Amino acid sequence: MIKQFTDSLSQKDKTLRQLYRFIYEYGPISKVDLIDLTGLKQTTCTRLIDELLSHKLIFEAGFGESSGGRKPILYKIKPDTYYVFGIDISRTYTKLLLMDLNLHLLKEERLSLNQTTTPDVIVAFLVSKITELMEKKSLTKDLVLGIGIGSIGPLNRDDGILLDPVDVPSPGWEKIPIKDMLEKQLGIDVFIDYGVNTALLAEYQLTSFNMYQNIVYVIKGVGTRTGMIMDGNLTRGSDKLGRYGQGHMIINVHGKKCICGSYGCVHAYSSIPAIVEEVINLLKEGRDSILRERVSQIEQVHFDHICQAVNEGDPLCSQVIKDAAYYAGIGLSNVINVLHPELIILGGPTYTNMELFYETVKETALMKNKIMYPNHEIVINRGNLGENATSIGAGSLVLGHYLPN
């Protein structure tokens, strides 16, 4: 029945959808509270609740506190009525989650990306795993509301096309119609947005972060992706600006040349490629490091090696990371000075894999902010949902299509 909520709705069906949305958002909730929220007459509210119960979209979840007389019945949505898939497409992995309507994780699949994982390989992986999970759970297409995708960019979101991302490990990433590819092979509706937007939505909708009205979310790894909620609303921006991400604020006008063609960008100092390049260059100069014992050739050093070395206290790698994090912190302080967020969430492998990088960025940004705005209180953390935030938020895209605010 939820799938019918997007058709041309009568006023009665719009009211039914609104009632279900309130139960979804505030449940367990009593009829009295629903009447207060919707302004419905008691008889109308009772009739619509009975209809939702008959379709097994909600259930009676016990009794609330009595304010005199009988205890009120509480209602919640039935989370196993339908299911959603959420997909995270990054530059280093693709992740697939199967979730119920409460966006609770039921099953997870992950594909690491390398030189051979072209878009066709990724789509084949997703089709295979979605089909397999549906068979294991005995799910028909009617029971799957849709597939949400949180992806690297740039995107044509209206048509569901992944345009021409940079720094992907395999060839063939030009104008990939991933929405059509999945819909044709699976027969399930697909919805797509930037991964940083879906991650931010998940953290905002499913955790205590909805107490904040102005939030910045940064995913930092091979590139830098930034999402914003301003005055309680997600700011989506333009698809035209998504190719290089948002790591190109200039912090050194006479600095290193960046992939974007400019000089001194944050990306040129603090991205994974920049960090790896700096470590390799220092090793070639003869600098000592435990990495020499772990690779046969200096060019074989990769980001995981560096993370492990930093976490073991290797001086060379630790200094490189401190320097990279300092530049990232300067960039973040500039964001704070312009947007004045109350909360900044830092995600992605550079922040999650190395405590040193995260703490240095946080310390630098807060210190710079205090100089200019000593009374501005700001919270910086790594969020509550971890690596799954983007995929969970992608599932939320599907629910948002059927249950708009």
Side-chain angles (χ1 to χ4, degrees), residues 204 212-216 229-232 339-344:
Y204 187 65
Y212 299 102
Q213 290 293 296
N214 300 291
I215 307 173
V216 171
I229 285 178
M230 293 287 118
D231 296 325
L339 299 177
H340 307 296
E342 304 156 84
L343 169 68
I344 295 178

Side-chain angles (χ1 to χ4, degrees), residues 309-378:
V310 169
N311 293 333
E312 293 177 13
D314 180 68
L316 182 143
C317 291
S318 295
Q319 189 58 54
V320 170
I321 290 304
K322 284 182 181 178
D323 292 343
Y326 174 77
Y327 284 114
I330 293 296
L332 193 62
S333 70
N334 290 336
V335 171
I336 294 171
N337 290 341
V338 172
L339 299 177
H340 307 296
E342 304 156 84
L343 169 68
I344 295 178
I345 304 172
L346 302 177
T350 55
Y351 289 119
T352 58
N353 293 2
M354 295 176 292
E355 194 71 19
L356 179 62
F357 189 93
Y358 167 72
E359 289 295 341
T360 304
V361 170
K362 180 178 177 180
E363 179 183 343
T364 302
L366 291 177
M367 180 183 67
K368 297 292 184 182
N369 177 63
K370 282 297 182 184
I371 294 173
M372 187 171 293
Y373 301 103
N375 298 320
H376 179 212
E377 294 297 326
I378 183 168

Side-chain angles (χ1 to χ4, degrees), residues 89-118:
I89 299 177
S90 76
R91 291 176 172 86
T92 55
Y93 64 84
T94 291
K95 177 174 282 194
L96 170 70
L97 304 185
L98 172 63
M99 296 168 281
D100 63 19
L101 291 181
N102 283 329
L103 298 178
H104 291 161
L105 175 62
L106 303 176
K107 187 64 178 176
E108 174 181 330
E109 300 287 349
R110 195 178 193 275
L111 175 68
S112 295
L113 304 190
N114 55 40
Q115 293 87 345
T116 67
T117 45
T118 62

Side-chain angles (χ1 to χ4, degrees), residues 142-159:
D142 290 339
L143 295 178
V144 179
L145 279 185
I147 300 167
I149 300 176
S151 177
I152 56 174
L155 301 172
N156 177 336
R157 283 174 287 189
D158 292 337
D159 296 327

Side-chain angles (χ1 to χ4, degrees), residues 8-176:
S8 296
L9 300 179
S10 65
Q11 185 56 50
K12 177 255 185 184
D13 288 335
K14 290 179 180 178
T15 304
L16 187 69
R17 180 178 66 182
Q18 181 191 44
L19 188 69
Y20 180 79
R21 174 81 199 195
F22 281 134
I23 297 172
Y24 179 87
E25 190 168 346
Y26 298 108
I29 186 170
S30 69
K31 185 191 303 182
V32 170
D33 289 335
L34 286 169
I35 290 171
D36 288 341
L37 283 170
T38 61
L40 294 172
K41 295 179 180 178
Q42 181 172 337
T43 54
T44 303
C45 190
T46 299
R47 177 169 49 81
L48 295 177
I49 287 174
D50 288 342
E51 184 170 346
L52 292 174
L53 286 168
S54 69
H55 286 288
K56 298 182 179 179
L57 293 179
I58 64 172
F59 68 99
E60 296 178 355
F63 297 92
E65 294 296 322
S66 173
S67 56
R70 291 186 298 178
K71 292 183 177 181
I73 297 173
L74 301 179
Y75 300 97
K76 291 181 68 175
I77 68 152
K78 196 169 183 296
D80 59 354
T81 307
Y82 293 95
Y83 299 85
V84 297
F85 286 99
I87 296 169
D88 175 7
I89 299 177
S90 76
R91 291 176 172 86
T92 55
Y93 64 84
T94 291
K95 177 174 282 194
L96 170 70
L97 304 185
L98 172 63
M99 296 168 281
D100 63 19
L101 291 181
N102 283 329
L103 298 178
H104 291 161
L105 175 62
L106 303 176
K107 187 64 178 176
E108 174 181 330
E109 300 287 349
R110 195 178 193 275
L111 175 68
S112 295
L113 304 190
N114 55 40
Q115 293 87 345
T116 67
T117 45
T118 62
D120 286 339
V121 171
I122 292 172
V123 169
F125 166 81
L126 292 171
V127 170
S128 172
K129 292 302 180 182
I130 289 172
T131 302
E132 179 183 316
L133 291 174
M134 289 176 65
E135 290 174 353
K136 286 183 178 179
K137 289 287 292 183
S138 299
L139 300 180
T140 64
K141 294 177 184 178
D142 290 339
L143 295 178
V144 179
L145 279 185
I147 300 167
I149 300 176
S151 177
I152 56 174
L155 301 172
N156 177 336
R157 283 174 287 189
D158 292 337
D159 296 327
I161 298 173
L162 185 53
L163 297 174
D164 55 345
V166 297
D167 285 334
V168 284
S170 62
W173 287 81
E174 292 78 31
K175 296 183 179 179
I176 306 303

Side-chain angles (χ1 to χ4, degrees), residues 88-92 149-157 160-168 173-176 178 192-198 219 222-226 236 238-246 248 259 390:
D88 175 7
I89 299 177
S90 76
R91 291 176 172 86
T92 55
I149 300 176
S151 177
I152 56 174
L155 301 172
N156 177 336
R157 283 174 287 189
I161 298 173
L162 185 53
L163 297 174
D164 55 345
V166 297
D167 285 334
V168 284
W173 287 81
E174 292 78 31
K175 296 183 179 179
I176 306 303
I178 192 163
I192 189 168
D193 201 345
Y194 289 95
V196 70
N197 287 344
T198 66
I219 297 177
V222 175
T224 302
R225 296 179 279 164
T226 304
R236 282 194 157 88
S238 170
D239 284 335
K240 298 178 182 179
L241 304 178
R243 185 165 193 256
Y244 291 105
Q246 289 75 48
H248 300 275
I259 60 169
T390 296

